[in-house]
Amino acid sequence: MSMPNLRVRLFGIACMAMAIALPFCVSTYYTQFFAKALIMGMLAMSLNLVVGHGGLVSLCHAAFFGLAGYVLALLSPRYDAASLLTTLPIAILCSGTAALLIGALVLRTRGVYFIMVTLAFGEMLFFFFHDTKFAGGSDGISINIRPEIAIAGRQLLDLDKPMTFYFVVLGFLVGVISLLTMVLRSSFGRALAASRDNERRARSLGFPIFRLRLTAFTLSGALAGVAGYLAAAQFGFVAPQMLGWHQSATILVMVLIGGLRSVTGPLVGALVLIGMEEVLKAHLDNWKLVEGLIIIGIVILLPNGVRQIWSMVFGASPQRAAEMKSAAAEARHA
Amino acid sequence: MDLITLGVQLLNAVQYGAVLFLVASGLTLVFGILGVINLAHGAFYMLGAYLAYWITLMTGSFVVALLVGVLVAFVVGILLETVFVRLLYGRDHLAQVLLSFGLILVIDEVRQLLFGKDVHAVAPPAWLSGSIQLTDNLSYPLYRLAICVFCLIVALVIFFVIARTKIGMIVRAGSENREMARVLGIKFDRVNRYVFAAGIALAALGGILIAPISTVFPGMGDGMLILSFVVVVLGGIGSVAGAAVGALLIGLTDTFGKVFFPSVSSILIYVVMAAVLLWRPSGILGRQDA
């Protein structure tokens, strides 16, 4: 990964300024809509740590997302607000631990086995919440009152206000982006990428591949937990569908649309996909048919995500072009 | 639990495993020979069940539904291979996962346009309804027994094709070492199309056979897809014999899990899968270097 140049940095600052200005310019509905889109973007970015940077196609990340949501729902008192400062760490811990345990098993497998086994373990958690009564079964469970951010009984931020909630989400998002950028630039991130690009070479260089991947998987699961917690807090409701494999596949689509090789690509992918769904839903009854066809089209025509359109239209920098060429070649040979 | 109940449950387990085997063998063949992981496999299972419902309604004959349903699935498979799937050969698994996920959305909506989203029941053919007296005090539904026999025949046909025919030889070479087979001059192009179509037809066949026992409903493909994956992982990818072993294991685990440990039965198959993976990460009959 190259150091960000001035253009990239300016672009980032412009995006941030737009994100901050956004809730002042749009209606409450769209403030909530964008809060949801950013949460899904956070989930897609966490998944990409495993898929894009680790080269492991996981189909169980919705399970970690949903698990954290359920933790919030189960910890919330019926007639009172749960404290975000205590319940969020517990939710992250639960998702991270689940990812550690599942990761320890699934990372023994390779390639297509990995995809199938992650899918199966994700469904195990799905059925756990779907078939048992203690968390509402297939009906799900409501969170009557949003969690509050309070210290010594004094409320610091009112999450019931859509704009405040949006900014809290944005704050977490910036945190996740910074953390992922830092992780990927560290020696750990480089070793992870090395074991993705050429496992045999990385192994013979002495990298502890299993441990690297397990760490990435666990961290990714924990971050998916942050997104799941926020999603549950926003909707005030969790249901088994939150953990289902359709959800896992959908965030994989976001990752692919946004591009695999950057930190914020999946966020762009999430915004594109959720925006597309919103438009299709408004105009079509059978919108999923069109969505399915668009997904198929993207996979066939744009193996490097929407970034490819950008470079087709505006031309790519030589470095980016070379990077994409090698990625495309790799995709063909994999 | 007395011996009679045990016998009935054992037959149930075998019957369940037999249908699982059909669906999973399609999945494992398509992956073994084409190298394509197809998440839409369950959607074709569902489509088969809906076709069974619709054709039985139109013609009044389940046997016609069986024949026409499988044929329709085969033709759809050929069309899909020609239009979409061929673009995936050699692409990474991620592209395959996502394309087949897109396909699921499309199939689901097409199903809704054609058949609606109601839950349906299908009657087995009249000559297979009712029960058969196996021993003095063990009677068993005839249709379920017929499924076991039918699946056994299909399994034998699959094994015969793989072991004795030229297509089978290519399939074996492909699932053993695709690169090497290609280097040795085997042309996969045409065989690919038939294998993919056969895989789809097997999924649909599973759905058609299960329709008279279970209900026909929109989400039925999902559960079957996951179970087929578990079966394929247990048996070893690309191995049809492995699919048979895996399917039987899951059939037994699920049926007896529901009898003995009803509260945790839905988790039990994953426990079995985890245990097998700890023992052999590439499945019971899978190549361990894969």
Side-chain angles (χ1 to χ4, degrees):
Chain A
M1 183 180 291
S2 60
M3 285 300 284
N5 56 29
L6 189 66
R7 219 173 67 180
V8 172
R9 208 170 285 180
L10 280 176
F11 184 69
I13 291 170
C15 286
M16 199 60 213
M18 264 163 58
I20 291 171
L22 186 103
F24 299 104
C25 308
V26 297
S27 63
T28 308
Y29 174 78
Y30 280 104
T31 305
Q32 286 168 331
F33 171 77
F34 278 105
K36 179 187 135 195
L38 293 185
I39 291 171
M40 294 315 287
M42 193 189 298
L43 177 59
M45 287 195 305
S46 75
L47 173 66
N48 195 37
L49 177 63
V50 181
V51 179
H53 305 290
L56 303 158
V57 181
S58 159
L59 263 178
C60 67
H61 263 60
F64 308 132
F65 174 74
L67 185 63
Y70 266 101
V71 170
L72 171 62
L74 292 170
L75 288 179
S76 292
R78 202 179 165 92
Y79 301 112
D80 202 2
S83 163
L84 182 132
L85 297 176
T86 56
T87 50
L88 179 61
I90 297 174
I92 295 174
L93 195 71
C94 288
S95 289
T97 311
L100 179 71
L101 292 176
I102 292 181
L105 276 168
V106 297
L107 286 166
R108 295 168 53 82
T109 63
R110 292 274 168 279
V112 70
Y113 276 91
F114 183 82
I115 299 175
M116 292 184 171
V117 176
T118 49
L119 182 84
F121 276 109
E123 285 303 283
M124 180 172 90
L125 280 179
F126 169 83
F127 281 116
F128 178 71
F129 285 107
H130 190 270
D131 289 2
T132 56
K133 287 282 167 281
F134 89 102
S138 57
D139 294 335
I141 177 171
S142 299
I143 301 158
N144 296 319
I145 300 168
R146 287 228 166 88
E148 58 174 10
I149 304 178
I151 292 176
R154 274 198 51 177
Q155 195 180 44
L156 301 178
L157 290 166
D158 183 6
L159 294 183
D160 277 329
K161 287 193 185 135
M163 201 186 278
T164 312
F165 188 82
Y166 172 86
F167 281 116
V168 168
V169 169
L170 192 63
F172 274 107
L173 188 75
V174 172
V176 169
I177 292 174
S178 320
L179 179 70
L180 284 175
T181 310
M182 222 167 63
V183 165
L184 290 169
R185 284 207 193 128
S186 68
S187 53
F188 164 79
R190 286 161 194 278
L192 184 69
S195 58
R196 167 198 66 199
D197 291 336
N198 191 330
E199 186 180 334
R200 198 177 294 174
R201 191 192 300 159
R203 194 181 298 280
S204 52
L205 285 171
F207 288 127
I209 292 184
F210 181 80
R211 217 185 316 149
L212 284 170
R213 287 179 172 165
L214 188 57
T215 311
F217 199 83
T218 308
L219 177 61
S220 157
L223 292 178
V226 179
Y229 182 94
L230 291 172
Q234 185 181 17
F235 297 129
F237 180 70
V238 288
Q241 276 68 32
M242 209 175 158
L243 297 89
W245 74 270
H246 275 255
Q247 176 95 295
S248 293
T250 309
I251 48 178
L252 259 186
V253 174
M254 293 172 186
V255 170
L256 183 89
I257 292 178
L260 293 165
R261 294 295 164 95
S262 68
V263 171
T264 48
L267 175 63
V268 176
L271 292 173
V272 169
L273 188 75
I274 293 176
M276 185 181 89
E277 279 183 358
E278 186 76 6
V279 174
L280 289 177
K281 264 181 209 166
H283 296 286
L284 293 170
D285 284 338
N286 299 96
W287 61 277
K288 279 200 171 175
L289 182 69
V290 181
E291 189 187 19
L293 290 172
I294 291 176
I295 291 173
I296 292 173
I298 288 173
V299 174
I300 292 173
L301 302 172
L302 304 173
N304 293 310
V306 283
R307 188 165 96 176
Q308 214 168 334
I309 301 181
W310 179 273
S311 59
M312 275 185 217
V313 178
F314 299 105
S317 66
Q319 180 210 345
R320 175 76 29 111
E323 193 186 319
M324 276 183 350
K325 208 171 160 192
S326 72
E330 198 181 305
R332 269 197 305 277
H333 292 298
Chain B
M1 167 172 278
D2 57 299
L3 224 56
I4 301 299
T5 333
L6 198 73
V8 169
Q9 294 301 345
L10 196 64
L11 282 170
N12 279 343
V14 171
Q15 175 263 312
Y16 186 49
V19 175
L20 257 179
F21 163 75
L22 284 192
V23 182
S25 65
L27 190 71
T28 209
L29 272 179
V30 167
F31 184 78
I33 180 83
L34 278 66
V36 168
I37 173 163
N38 180 18
L39 289 189
H41 202 69
F44 291 104
Y45 168 82
M46 172 199 71
L47 215 54
Y50 270 91
L51 281 173
Y53 155 72
W54 189 68
I55 301 173
T56 313
L57 197 71
M58 291 292 125
T59 64
S61 162
F62 182 76
V63 178
V64 174
L66 184 77
L67 297 173
V68 176
V70 171
L71 194 70
V72 168
F74 192 81
V75 172
V76 169
I78 294 220
L79 286 176
L80 278 179
E81 201 277 346
T82 319
V83 181
F84 292 124
V85 183
R86 57 165 58 235
L87 298 165
L88 289 176
Y89 301 147
R91 288 281 297 275
D92 55 352
H93 296 320
L94 181 61
Q96 299 166 349
V97 163
L98 294 181
L99 188 137
S100 51
F101 179 66
L103 213 52
I104 290 178
L105 298 180
V106 172
I107 294 171
D108 229 30
E109 288 297 312
V110 169
R111 187 262 311 142
Q112 197 162 322
L113 288 171
L114 292 178
F115 308 113
K117 47 180 158 186
D118 296 337
V119 174
H120 299 290
V122 179
W127 51 278
L128 281 178
S129 57
S131 296
I132 184 171
Q133 207 71 29
L134 288 178
T135 64
D136 283 345
N137 36 17
L138 171 58
S139 73
Y140 196 72
L142 193 55
Y143 181 75
R144 283 175 184 264
L145 208 62
I147 286 187
C148 296
V149 177
F150 185 79
C151 290
L152 186 66
I153 295 170
V154 174
L156 290 175
V157 170
I158 296 175
F159 282 117
F160 176 80
V161 170
I162 288 179
R164 295 269 182 248
T165 64
K166 182 150 182 252
I167 287 184
M169 189 191 75
I170 297 176
V171 168
R172 269 181 291 138
S175 73
E176 198 64 38
N177 191 335
R178 206 160 46 242
E179 293 309 307
M180 186 63 79
R182 194 168 282 144
V183 170
L184 289 173
I186 290 178
K187 289 193 175 62
F188 284 109
D189 301 9
R190 217 158 9 121
V191 173
N192 277 349
R193 188 163 306 153
Y194 295 128
V195 169
F196 185 79
I200 299 301
L202 281 169
L205 179 60
I208 295 169
L209 289 179
I210 215 78
I213 307 179
S214 126
T215 49
V216 180
F217 61 98
M220 65 188 293
D222 269 9
M224 201 48 155
L225 174 75
I226 312 292
L227 282 177
S228 314
F229 272 24
V230 172
V231 165
V232 168
V233 165
L234 281 179
I237 293 173
S239 161
V240 177
V245 174
L248 209 58
L249 190 57
I250 291 302
L252 288 169
T253 308
D254 192 75
T255 307
F256 284 97
K258 282 199 176 99
V259 175
F260 292 116
F261 316 99
S263 55
V264 292
S265 65
S266 57
I267 312 275
L268 212 58
I269 56 168
Y270 302 104
V271 176
V272 171
M273 183 182 73
V276 170
L277 281 176
L278 282 172
W279 168 48
R280 290 173 80 92
S282 304
I284 298 170
L285 296 180
R287 284 181 298 128
Q288 295 305 310
D289 57 326

